[in-house]
Amino acid sequence: NAGVTQTPKFQVLKTGQSMTLQCAQDMNHNSMYWYRQDPGMGLRLIYYSASEGTTDKGEVPNGYNVSRLNKREFSLRLESAAPSQTSVYFCASSPARGDSPLHFGNGTRLTVT
Amino acid sequence: RKEVEQDPGPFNVPEGATVAFNCTYSNSASQSFFWYRQDCRKEPKLLMSVYSSGNEDGRFTAQLNRASQYISLLIRDSKLSDSATYLCVATGYGGATNKLIFGTGTLLAVQP
């Protein structure tokens, strides 16, 4: 019963490098989300996908791109990493759009030097 | 003003104590409210939804006050294992208004 699986768990990048954070859910949920969590800022929505084939910007989308590959998978890409993107990233899913509780993955701790 | 505001704490309480957290939200159109629990360096996990009539789950009671736009969480008979950060969540503004907005969390430390 995996739920939401994120990879990798930890990553260190140099400024300007790119990487993709992977997320997959096995709960047949329609909606998927990417959040970042920083001290004192709480969880902030980067991008979300209400359903397969759609993606929308959240509160802090700059510097990120996403792909909803299929119903199960939602990836987050950093094209040119910056130190300001050092954060903990959480993927989440929910059965329906917005109002339903979210199920979170374990998180990815990213450091950009 | 933040859309969802919480007292960051920490709340240091002895085992067995009753503790209450409040959270205010700015979007009067918010329809859905939740409390999540987050342990140190872990992902947030749903603790309970908050219903208009108030609801209880064991030692935990959640209340919603729409007139004053706040929700509360009451924990009775605190256990050491209740030590965590509690996140208040409400549906927020945006192009799609049905997005969840998280507060920054209230830290609870239950002391033996």
Side-chain angles (χ1 to χ4, degrees):
Chain A
N1 214 12
V4 180
T5 303
Q6 282 183 243
T7 56
K9 286 188 167 34
F10 302 93
Q11 184 71 48
V12 179
L13 292 177
K14 293 189 189 316
T15 297
Q17 288 185 315
S18 61
M19 78 162 296
T20 299
L21 281 64
Q22 307 286 353
C23 175
Q25 52 91 10
D26 62 3
M27 295 175 284
N28 201 34
H29 285 170
N30 288 318
S31 300
M32 298 186 73
Y33 308 80
W34 277 104
Y35 284 87
R36 60 178 289 175
Q37 187 174 35
D38 303 290
M41 301 292 289
L43 282 155
R44 292 182 293 169
L45 183 63
I46 304 170
Y47 270 94
Y48 69 101
S49 172
S51 60
E52 187 178 354
T54 68
T55 60
D56 286 288
K57 294 178 180 179
E59 183 184 354
V60 287
N62 291 344
Y64 306 96
N65 286 303
V66 290
S67 295
R68 183 75 183 265
L69 304 168
N70 47 55
K71 190 171 186 179
R72 289 187 64 248
E73 299 173 286
F74 189 39
S75 63
L76 178 72
R77 182 158 179 85
L78 286 71
E79 290 292 352
S80 179
S84 60
Q85 294 178 306
T86 294
S87 188
V88 180
Y89 291 84
F90 289 103
C91 177
S93 70
S94 70
R97 185 179 171 192
D99 292 1
S100 304
L102 303 179
H103 299 256
F104 285 87
N106 291 342
T108 296
R109 294 185 177 277
L110 175 66
T111 301
V112 183
T113 62
Chain B
R1 181 186 172 188
K2 290 182 182 175
E3 293 188 62
V4 176
E5 293 200 68
Q6 298 181 248
D7 181 343
F11 283 63
N12 296 301
V13 302
E15 269 187 293
T18 295
V19 62
F21 310 133
N22 280 343
C23 162
T24 58
Y25 61 94
S26 60
N27 182 359
S28 59
S30 291
Q31 293 296 316
S32 299
F33 305 91
F34 308 95
W35 282 102
Y36 280 73
R37 171 196 169 121
Q38 186 172 24
D39 293 297
C40 188
R41 302 179 75 83
K42 299 285 190 181
E43 74 275 21
K45 292 184 178 178
L46 179 67
L47 179 66
M48 59 197 302
S49 302
V50 185
Y51 302 119
S52 297
S53 54
N55 48 298
E56 190 173 302
D57 183 0
R59 297 181 293 109
F60 299 84
T61 300
Q63 297 278 354
L64 168 63
N65 184 318
R66 286 193 183 275
S68 301
Q69 292 184 208
Y70 76 83
I71 68 173
S72 63
L73 178 68
L74 181 79
I75 305 175
R76 291 181 298 278
D77 188 22
S78 298
K79 312 290 185 192
L80 294 175
S81 57
D82 294 333
S83 297
T85 296
Y86 291 84
L87 305 174
C88 168
V89 187
T91 43
Y93 296 111
T97 57
N98 47 358
K99 289 185 292 191
L100 298 183
I101 305 296
F102 285 76
T104 53
T106 298
L107 179 61
L108 172 65
V110 181
Q111 316 287 345

